[in-house]
Amino acid sequence: MSHLPRACGIDFGTSNSTVGWLRPNASALLALEDGRPTLPSAVFFNADENSVSFGRAAMAEYLDGYEGRLMRALKSLLGTSLIDGHTEVHGRALRFRDLLADFIAELKRRAEHEAGRTFDQAVFGRPVHFVDDDAVADRRAQDTLEAIARQVGFREVSFQFEPIGAALHYERTLAREELVLIADIGGGTADFSIVRLSPERTRHDDRREDVLGNAGIHIGGTDFDRALSLECVMPLLGYRSRMRNGAEVPSSIYFQLASWHTINFAYSRQAWADLQHIYRDASAREALDHLCRLVSRREGHWLALQVEEAKVALSAAPLTRMVLDRLADGLGLDLSRDAFAAATQGLVERVGACVAGLLQEAGVARGRIDSIYFTGGASGVPQLRARIAAELPGARAVEGDLYGSIGAGLAVEAARRYG
């Protein structure tokens, strides 16, 4: 084992996480759950069993109806004021910072178990911007993640942009030099890098001159879920309906239910009291009945999962049907890809503008890009992919490992940095 790299690469993602470690004649990604390389970034605190579970097991226990708290999209807390707050779990206060530490410690434990060795050094992936247009908050987010990594036992911690990690993975497949736009669109961010790649360049330790530019925007798969939820699903629960006095029903609870990391706020005593007050004066009583049932039964995460599955289905087919029988017997909703595209048009345009701005800032003509390397789970959204391709009409679209490219590339970087 001594000749193998001492360090691992960690892609702590909004939706899924991976750990990479370079080994000869083997996948760089370590199996983290049920033989699979991805561990969904989810934690479930099971009140019935007084236990904690992670990943797919966490989701399964929640969906099986155990009483408890499900937490997802943990990475979204970095760079926000919520990271210094807390939530209530099993009747006690749990700091969000400690919640992240629990998950990253579990990632480390599973990776070490699979590798049969300890990892004291790690290269963590990071988005180009944890926080858009706020350098101080962005630095604080990285510092928080580094402190957590050290807290759980990593002695040396460094960072690499996630799209650069994906580039290093893609480069190992090339037979000739290419100028590539790496499009890494994950659960929380859309990150882009223009990188010069070639088989010869893989041997260079210092690749700074090969990176022509980086850009990123805080838009990812969870934002597409949120937009689809608000525009197409929440109207079934009374969103944008009217009170008897003609005013619009207050929207805060709908926004809470449309984002993974704020769903639990809709279950507070104050939120329930506010909802009862709204219900008394609402016109769309049937829709508000659906909302009250959802909140009283704490089905917010279930609904968010249905929305996420509908997004995935609409990425592959023009139509899908959501079955919403937990809200009312026989309730369903037909959704079209056109409706999904309309709901997310603003997000898609902002991502397109980010790519255009990167090309301009890097001084790279649109026609010079040879290929677009798509990675990250949300890069499969058709309207988003088409909008990026429209900025680079001559470029070839290449499908990466949507969930594994970054972790595998970070493993390459970890071996290079730490030996």
Side-chain angles (χ1 to χ4, degrees), residues 134-157:
D134 189 338
V136 174
D138 187 82
R139 182 71 211 185
R140 191 184 311 124
Q142 178 175 307
D143 289 347
T144 299
L145 183 53
E146 180 175 349
I148 288 170
R150 291 182 183 281
Q151 176 187 330
V152 304
F154 289 108
R155 287 190 296 104
E156 295 182 67
V157 179

Side-chain angles (χ1 to χ4, degrees), residues 60 76 103 111 141 150 175 197 203 210 229 232 236 272 301 308 328 389:
S76 301
F103 183 80
R150 291 182 183 281
L197 302 175
R203 295 190 287 271
D210 293 333
S229 181
C232 299
L236 270 182
W272 181 250
H301 292 96
E308 186 178 359

Side-chain angles (χ1 to χ4, degrees), residues 36-155:
R36 301 189 217 179
T38 54
L39 182 68
S41 303
V43 183
F44 182 62
F45 296 91
N46 188 321
D48 291 337
E49 307 283 344
N50 195 27
S51 61
V52 181
S53 55
F54 300 86
R56 291 171 191 84
M59 307 286 284
E61 285 187 26
Y62 172 77
L63 292 173
D64 283 345
Y66 284 96
E67 190 67 31
R69 292 289 300 275
L70 177 71
M71 307 294 290
R72 273 191 81 190
L74 309 175
K75 187 178 178 180
S76 301
L77 296 165
L78 291 168
T80 73
S81 57
L82 281 176
I83 193 67
D84 293 316
H86 66 273
T87 187
E88 187 179 309
V89 173
H90 297 172
R92 64 182 180 86
L94 175 70
R95 297 196 311 164
F96 286 120
R97 187 182 295 262
D98 293 334
L99 177 64
L100 263 68
D102 287 346
F103 183 80
I104 291 170
E106 183 68 11
L107 263 185
K108 184 176 190 288
R109 187 190 69 76
R110 292 184 184 213
E112 290 177 339
H113 179 266
E114 181 67 17
R117 59 164 302 152
T118 58
F119 292 116
D120 296 326
Q121 296 115 334
V123 177
F124 276 75
R126 57 150 293 163
V128 174
H129 302 298
F130 277 110
V131 183
D132 294 337
D133 304 319
D134 189 338
V136 174
D138 187 82
R139 182 71 211 185
R140 191 184 311 124
Q142 178 175 307
D143 289 347
T144 299
L145 183 53
E146 180 175 349
I148 288 170
R150 291 182 183 281
Q151 176 187 330
V152 304
F154 289 108
R155 287 190 296 104

Side-chain angles (χ1 to χ4, degrees), residues 54 223 365 397 401:
F54 300 86
D223 298 286
D401 178 342

Side-chain angles (χ1 to χ4, degrees), residues 350-369:
R350 287 171 61 197
V351 173
C354 180
V355 172
L358 170 59
L359 290 167
Q360 185 173 9
E361 188 176 319
V364 175
R366 299 167 75 195
R368 283 186 58 204
I369 301 292

